């Protein structure tokens, strides 16, 4: 059974930084896609960044502030110069031959 463990996040002031990490385990199949989505209050869940078959994808509006990296089955999201509009629940998602799997989410709040 695939398990996803997310860590990081929390409360930060505008302009600050946060790092999220996510480790996936429990499958014999390679996770060929690992990444992050987020959902702000009252909004739909939206993609943030992913690494698919080794290729990095970051939503245009977040480029320059967010970076994503992967080490084996751990994917990390470095978020800099955070803005209040970045406040959201951030979800890790991974994909392999078994399907798509989601973490429970971690709340990130950007507020002074």
């Amino acid at each position: 059974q695939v398990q996803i463990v997310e860590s990081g996040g929390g409360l930060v002031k505008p302009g600050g930084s946060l790092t999220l990490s996510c480790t996936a385990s429990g499958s014999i199949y390679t996770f060929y896609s690992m990444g992050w989505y987020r959902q702000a209050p009252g909004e739909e869940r939206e993609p943030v960044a992913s690494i698919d078959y080794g290729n990095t994808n970051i939503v245009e509006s977040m480029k320059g502030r967010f970076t994503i990296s992967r080490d084996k089955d751990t994917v990390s999201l470095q978020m800099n110069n955070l803005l209040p509009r970045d406040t959201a629940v951030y979800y890790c998602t991974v994909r392999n031959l078994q399907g798509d799997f989601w973490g429970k989410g971690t709340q990130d709040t950007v507020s002074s």
Side-chain angles (χ1 to χ4, degrees):
Q1 182 176 357
V2 173
Q3 294 183 327
I4 296 176
V5 178
E6 299 156 324
S7 62
L11 173 65
V12 65
K13 293 182 179 180
S17 299
L18 286 173
T19 302
L20 307 181
S21 292
C22 164
T23 299
S25 62
S27 176
I28 62 172
Y29 299 108
T30 300
F31 297 107
Y32 55 81
S33 176
M34 301 185 76
W36 296 89
Y37 276 65
R38 71 183 185 183
Q39 187 167 18
E43 302 290 333
E44 293 187 355
R45 194 172 296 188
E46 63 175 356
V48 175
S50 66
I51 299 178
D52 307 312
Y53 295 103
N55 298 312
T56 297
N57 304 288
I58 301 175
V59 170
E60 190 66 30
S61 62
M62 301 172 203
K63 286 182 178 178
R65 298 192 300 123
F66 291 10
T67 58
I68 188 170
S69 60
R70 176 175 176 174
D71 181 13
K72 297 181 181 178
D73 288 338
T74 295
V75 63
S76 297
L77 182 69
Q78 175 67 42
M79 304 183 289
N80 298 323
N81 191 22
L82 284 162
L83 305 169
R85 67 170 184 260
D86 295 317
T87 295
V89 177
Y90 285 72
Y91 296 91
C92 176
T93 180
V94 302
R95 176 179 292 175
N96 65 9
L97 291 178
Q98 294 176 277
D100 295 336
F101 303 91
W102 292 82
K104 295 180 180 180
T106 177
Q107 175 69 52
D108 295 342
T109 302
V110 184
S111 175
S112 56

